[in-house]
Amino acid sequence: MSSGTSDSRYAARGASATKDEVHRAIAGLDKGLFPSAFCKVLPDVLGNDPDFCNLIHADGAGTKSSLAYLYWKETGLTDVWKGIARDAVVMNLDDLCCAGATGPYLLSSTIGRNKHRIPGEVIEAIIQGTEEYTEELRQWGVDLRCGGGETADLGDLIQTVVVDSTMTARMRRDAVISNHRIQPGDVIVGFASFGTCAYEFVDNSGIGSNGLTSARHDLLHHDYLHRYPESVDASVDSSLQYSGQFHLNESLLEVLGSSLGLAPHASRDGLDFGRWLLSPTRTYAPLISSLLRDIGTEGMHGMVHCSGGGQTKVLHFVKNLEVIKDDCFEIPPLFALIQKITETSWQEMYRVFNMGHRLELYLPESLVASALDWGKHYGIAAKVVGRVGQASNNLTSLQIKGPEGILQYNA
Amino acid sequence: MSSGTSDSRYAARGASATKDEVHRAIAGLDKGLFPSAFCKVLPDVLGNDPDFCNLIHADGAGTKSSLAYLYWKETGLTDVWKGIARDAVVMNLDDLCCAGATGPYLLSSTIGRNKHRIPGEVIEAIIQGTEEYTEELRQWGVDLRCGGGETADLGDLIQTVVVDSTMTARMRRDAVISNHRIQPGDVIVGFASFGTCAYEFVDNSGIGSNGLTSARHDLLHHDYLHRYPESVDASVDSSLQYSGQFHLNESLLEVLGSSLGLAPHASRDGLDFGRWLLSPTRTYAPLISSLLRDIGTEGMHGMVHCSGGGQTKVLHFVKNLEVIKDDCFEIPPLFALIQKITETSWQEMYRVFNMGHRLELYLPESLVASALDWGKHYGIAAKVVGRVGQASNNLTSLQIKGPEGILQYNA
């Protein structure tokens, strides 16, 4: 099933988990007040108070909107676009939380569409979905307000639709979490990206909004290329386009039963495969807010949102340390399925996907119980997934225990 | 040369000057503290001070990046991408200024690209161009700071590259300019979008970042369709794609001489047609800042950035008034050329393009001299272009004196 190595497949599709080029492009830029914080932190440009600082951050739903497009075309259901709106928000929200910015926030959405393919009802679902989600978040203690947004008709640039968000926060400088405080002896607590948490109602596949280009093409049937050529990059070899075996409307229980031998589970009952792949990205914002209010910022040595770069993301934020993740979550079914079908190396799987936890905290042992308690409070499975050790020979390194042994990554 | 009416051509290309669908989609949303301000104004979410307010605003360079793509492919010059970075900034900056928000500002850029076509050097030019521009703006008294941005590889969604920006401002509520104060008796002062102002070095065509889909297809030669099919929407009829006669590398002096009989002008010397079409959008931010500092906000009854919607933009902001623009700037060569070639109705031309001024101020007669003086200070041609009258029969209306008589627009 694999066309070349998985690495080259990923590159040939024009996605990049590592973004080396982008990192080179921004290498010379000012890194802000806390270069090791998860987001860039600026002085208080907006309030001119030396005790405060500002963050402005951008991200989006990425190619998950191409998957939503297929699902919407097949079913006519516009509510999947509300999920895309959530994805775009959460990709910002959880990044900001990992810098310690727990709100209030300002939010602005930017939607670019091909007007011939994306009608007003889709734009309306995305805009309404964003509004509804901010209301829901406020009920969970996350204060996010929508300012002005932009919807642009860009048919010469965009084949279907791009959904991005930008968020701004202002906070006390002494509340910033900067990952330079991650240190030998820290325990790593991971929080599940999958399952069903207190503010979800059906099974979340856990994929979030990263690795969707790979997942979509590796899992979905070649049929979709012929039916929706507008959902792919025409310059990519067609053998890499929708090279999988599944259809969006297949029963999730049947797919997981026949492919992985999984028993039925009530939270997946009635879900189809497409809807499951489209699971809106879970936010950890309520959990992070509660935990920081509880334990304060002093003991929170680091927070990493395992988004682009998956389980290797932490390598952007540490130096001269050995990060060891030797007890990660059992691999959730979606990632197990992708690996089984594509025979992608585990080395690559952990670099592209979150593989079970999208949030990891770096804490002293004494605070672990509180972290696990707040996980329980929000119905998010949590566990100690590893620890931080001294680097040998000043080498920054990451070890992950995969299903077939130790995976080694260097910074 | 025209395929159907110009209106239907515009729609067939999937651009929309009026954005009716988008306005319907956001109709039910909260309009903020000052519903008639040029941008949405929120309470001070970030500072919690009742005397202050917040604005977050998004916009982008639109399909102008498709033009930059052609020019870059033809010439190999990456600096055109720095112009695109400016366009994305100015489209936000000037909108915010029209609400009275003159900085400081936070800025975040979102770049979506097709990695197969847009290499790292282009991303670098866009990011560096943004940084350089903020430095330049600070020298002109406009305080804009870059926070975190996002560059995403979205080959399944984007054919070339999309460049968007989002900006946040915090300001005193009593400094907000709300267009509900536009009133009978106000004089309208327009500021030129074209020519060469104090912070420009060559002739600016004046097009800004609106109407570029039309301008590009109406002016450029059909050759470009075959050479760069990735620069157009494949679902649009090919007769509408690059249906013009010009090439990017033609001498601007020759084009304007042969098409419009214009005499050579030193500021256009050595410019080619493509570079002129790509003129970075002029910002009015230094002028607006200086003028508001000089005359205060009380007498500034309204400010309109004539971006999408061109000269009819004001109709979104006034009620029960008759807006009369009977002495606009002589039509700049680029718009004259587009009209001559496409035979687009003047009615439509003024709705798509700014036609000479991209900023208009609504002031009492007593403040007009100050406004004109600040125009002179920044080398921006300025003149009284019209006035505001009582509406007859409670009808909100706009009259523009075009080259062939009065054009009537209703809200």
Side-chain angles (χ1 to χ4, degrees):
Chain A
M1 184 55 268
S2 58
S3 314
T5 69
S6 54
D7 290 42
S8 65
R9 253 195 4 262
Y10 204 66
R13 283 178 181 146
S16 65
T18 52
K19 290 195 181 178
D20 290 340
E21 278 192 342
V22 175
H23 288 126
R24 269 197 300 278
I26 62 173
L29 301 186
D30 168 47
K31 303 219 171 353
L33 297 177
F34 297 88
S36 299
F38 200 82
C39 302
K40 183 173 175 183
V41 181
L42 293 169
D44 186 22
V45 172
L46 300 177
N48 201 27
D49 183 329
D51 291 336
F52 279 74
C53 56
N54 299 156
L55 299 89
I56 184 166
H57 194 74
D59 211 330
T63 60
K64 201 164 176 176
S65 64
S66 192
L67 180 61
Y69 178 79
L70 296 189
Y71 195 90
W72 167 69
K73 291 293 281 186
E74 293 278 297
T75 65
L77 300 170
T78 55
D79 74 307
V80 287
W81 295 109
K82 296 191 175 188
I84 294 296
R86 287 175 179 236
D87 292 317
V89 170
V90 174
M91 291 304 291
N92 279 286
L93 182 57
D94 286 20
D95 278 2
L96 285 167
C97 279
C98 281
T102 53
Y105 313 96
L106 297 175
L107 169 70
S108 174
S109 301
T110 303
I111 306 169
R113 68 161 169 173
N114 185 310
K115 196 180 179 177
H116 294 114
R117 301 202 179 99
I118 303 293
E121 70 190 78
V122 170
I123 301 303
E124 202 165 325
I126 296 168
I127 293 175
Q128 294 291 348
T130 306
E131 287 284 327
E132 287 167 21
Y133 190 45
T134 61
E135 280 165 35
E136 189 181 320
L137 283 170
R138 284 195 285 276
Q139 287 164 22
W140 288 93
V142 178
D143 187 7
L144 200 162
R145 306 279 160 168
C146 294
E150 166 72 0
T151 301
D153 295 334
L154 305 175
D156 284 343
L157 300 174
I158 294 177
Q159 298 180 165
T160 52
V161 64
V162 175
V163 183
D164 289 317
S165 287
T166 300
M167 281 172 56
T168 302
R170 180 172 179 264
M171 65 183 291
R172 289 192 60 84
R173 287 194 192 193
D174 55 17
V176 171
I177 305 298
S178 172
N179 290 322
H180 76 276
R181 293 196 293 139
I182 295 176
Q183 54 199 259
D186 278 352
V187 174
I188 312 173
V189 178
F191 292 87
S193 56
F194 62 95
T196 310
C197 77
Y199 36 88
E200 293 168 340
F201 303 96
V202 293
D203 191 55
N204 191 320
S205 69
I207 193 164
S209 302
N210 293 100
L212 262 298
T213 302
S214 287
R216 187 165 43 93
H217 287 296
D218 284 335
L219 293 172
L220 297 187
H221 195 282
H222 208 54
D223 286 353
Y224 294 109
L225 177 61
H226 304 295
R227 285 154 70 195
Y228 305 107
E230 67 273 24
S231 70
V232 306
D233 181 347
S235 66
V236 172
D237 191 273
S238 76
S239 69
L240 297 170
Q241 313 271 30
Y242 298 125
S243 50
Q245 62 193 76
F246 301 107
H247 288 92
L248 296 168
N249 63 351
E250 289 185 59
S251 151
L252 176 59
L253 292 181
E254 279 174 30
V255 167
L256 296 183
S258 64
S259 304
L260 299 173
L262 289 189
H265 188 289
S267 69
R268 294 178 187 141
D269 211 23
L271 269 184
D272 59 34
F273 187 66
R275 182 67 77 166
W276 191 59
L277 262 186
L278 279 167
S279 301
T281 310
R282 170 178 299 171
T283 181
Y284 298 102
L287 181 146
I288 294 174
S289 286
S290 297
L291 179 59
L292 287 177
R293 252 197 316 272
D294 178 9
I295 66 168
T297 56
E298 190 57 34
M300 185 67 83
H301 292 168
M303 292 200 270
V304 175
H305 182 197
C306 304
S307 50
Q311 283 300 324
T312 68
K313 188 87 172 182
V314 65
L315 285 174
H316 288 294
F317 300 99
V318 293
K319 253 189 222 158
N320 299 333
L321 292 173
E322 184 181 51
V323 177
I324 300 155
K325 304 189 201 172
D326 53 6
D327 196 17
C328 286
F329 285 90
E330 188 182 349
I331 296 171
L334 177 55
F335 305 123
L337 184 65
I338 292 171
Q339 198 281 329
K340 186 174 179 190
I341 284 179
T342 61
E343 298 171 12
T344 298
S345 70
W346 291 110
Q347 183 86 16
E348 177 75 355
M349 287 297 293
Y350 282 84
R351 189 156 41 209
V352 175
F353 302 103
N354 68 66
M355 302 301 280
H357 71 266
R358 237 184 63 247
L359 172 68
E360 59 194 22
L361 307 183
Y362 292 76
L363 303 151
E365 178 78 46
S366 60
L367 294 173
V368 168
S370 300
L372 298 177
D373 280 352
W374 281 109
K376 192 174 284 177
H377 178 84
Y378 288 107
I380 300 173
K383 63 179 296 200
V384 172
V385 298
R387 63 193 186 283
V388 179
Q390 289 283 2
S392 43
N393 303 321
N394 288 334
L395 277 180
T396 307
S397 70
L398 165 66
Q399 286 182 14
I400 299 174
K401 189 174 170 192
E404 295 170 11
I406 302 295
L407 306 164
Q408 181 77 36
Y409 302 86
N410 296 311
Chain B
M1 184 56 271
S2 59
S3 314
T5 69
S6 54
D7 290 41
S8 63
R9 247 188 15 255
Y10 204 65
R13 285 180 181 143
S16 65
T18 53
K19 289 195 181 178
D20 290 341
E21 277 192 343
V22 175
H23 289 125
R24 269 197 300 279
I26 62 173
L29 302 186
D30 168 46
K31 303 224 172 346
L33 297 176
F34 297 88
S36 298
F38 200 82
C39 302
K40 183 172 174 184
V41 181
L42 294 168
D44 186 22
V45 172
L46 300 177
N48 201 28
D49 183 330
D51 290 337
F52 280 74
C53 57
N54 299 155
L55 298 90
I56 184 167
H57 193 74
D59 211 330
T63 60
K64 201 165 175 176
S65 63
S66 192
L67 180 61
Y69 177 78
L70 295 188
Y71 195 89
W72 167 69
K73 291 293 280 187
E74 294 277 296
T75 65
L77 299 171
T78 54
D79 73 307
V80 288
W81 295 109
K82 296 191 175 187
I84 294 298
R86 287 176 178 235
D87 292 317
V89 170
V90 174
M91 292 304 289
N92 280 287
L93 182 59
D94 286 20
D95 278 4
L96 284 167
C97 279
C98 282
T102 53
Y105 313 95
L106 297 175
L107 168 71
S108 174
S109 301
T110 303
I111 306 170
R113 69 162 168 172
N114 185 309
K115 196 182 180 179
H116 294 114
R117 302 203 180 98
I118 302 293
E121 69 190 78
V122 171
I123 301 303
E124 203 165 324
I126 296 168
I127 292 174
Q128 294 291 349
T130 305
E131 288 284 326
E132 286 167 20
Y133 191 45
T134 61
E135 279 165 36
E136 188 180 320
L137 284 170
R138 283 196 286 275
Q139 287 165 21
W140 288 94
V142 178
D143 187 8
L144 200 162
R145 305 278 161 170
C146 294
E150 166 71 359
T151 301
D153 294 334
L154 305 175
D156 284 344
L157 300 173
I158 294 177
Q159 299 180 163
T160 52
V161 63
V162 175
V163 182
D164 289 318
S165 288
T166 301
M167 280 172 58
T168 302
R170 179 172 179 262
M171 65 183 291
R172 289 193 59 86
R173 287 194 192 192
D174 55 17
V176 171
I177 305 298
S178 172
N179 289 322
H180 77 273
R181 293 195 293 139
I182 294 175
Q183 55 199 260
D186 278 351
V187 175
I188 312 173
V189 178
F191 293 86
S193 56
F194 61 95
T196 310
C197 78
Y199 37 87
E200 293 167 341
F201 302 96
V202 295
D203 191 55
N204 190 320
S205 69
I207 194 163
S209 303
N210 293 99
L212 262 299
T213 302
S214 288
R216 188 165 43 94
H217 287 296
D218 285 335
L219 293 172
L220 297 187
H221 196 280
H222 208 53
D223 286 353
Y224 294 109
L225 177 59
H226 304 295
R227 285 155 70 193
Y228 305 107
E230 68 272 26
S231 71
V232 307
D233 182 345
S235 66
V236 171
D237 191 275
S238 76
S239 70
L240 297 170
Q241 314 269 31
Y242 299 125
S243 51
Q245 63 194 77
F246 300 109
H247 288 92
L248 297 168
N249 63 350
E250 289 185 59
S251 150
L252 176 59
L253 291 181
E254 278 173 30
V255 168
L256 297 183
S258 64
S259 304
L260 298 173
L262 288 189
H265 190 288
S267 70
R268 294 177 188 143
D269 211 22
L271 269 182
D272 60 33
F273 187 65
R275 182 69 76 165
W276 190 60
L277 263 185
L278 279 167
S279 301
T281 310
R282 171 177 300 170
T283 180
Y284 297 102
L287 183 146
I288 294 174
S289 286
S290 297
L291 179 60
L292 287 176
R293 252 196 317 272
D294 178 11
I295 67 170
T297 56
E298 191 57 37
M300 184 67 82
H301 292 169
M303 293 198 269
V304 175
H305 182 196
C306 304
S307 50
Q311 282 301 323
T312 69
K313 189 87 171 182
V314 64
L315 285 173
H316 290 294
F317 300 98
V318 294
K319 253 190 222 157
N320 300 333
L321 292 174
E322 184 180 52
V323 177
I324 300 155
K325 304 188 202 175
D326 53 6
D327 196 17
C328 287
F329 285 91
E330 188 182 347
I331 295 171
L334 176 55
F335 306 123
L337 183 64
I338 292 171
Q339 198 281 330
K340 186 173 178 190
I341 284 179
T342 61
E343 297 171 15
T344 299
S345 71
W346 291 109
Q347 184 87 15
E348 177 74 355
M349 286 297 293
Y350 282 84
R351 187 156 43 209
V352 175
F353 301 103
N354 69 66
M355 302 302 280
H357 71 268
R358 240 183 61 247
L359 172 68
E360 60 194 22
L361 307 183
Y362 292 76
L363 304 150
E365 179 78 47
S366 59
L367 293 172
V368 168
S370 299
L372 298 177
D373 280 351
W374 281 110
K376 191 175 287 179
H377 178 84
Y378 288 107
I380 300 173
K383 64 181 293 199
V384 171
V385 298
R387 64 194 187 282
V388 179
Q390 289 283 3
S392 43
N393 303 321
N394 288 334
L395 277 180
T396 307
S397 70
L398 165 66
Q399 286 182 13
I400 299 174
K401 187 172 170 192
E404 294 170 12
I406 302 294
L407 306 164
Q408 181 77 36
Y409 302 86
N410 297 311

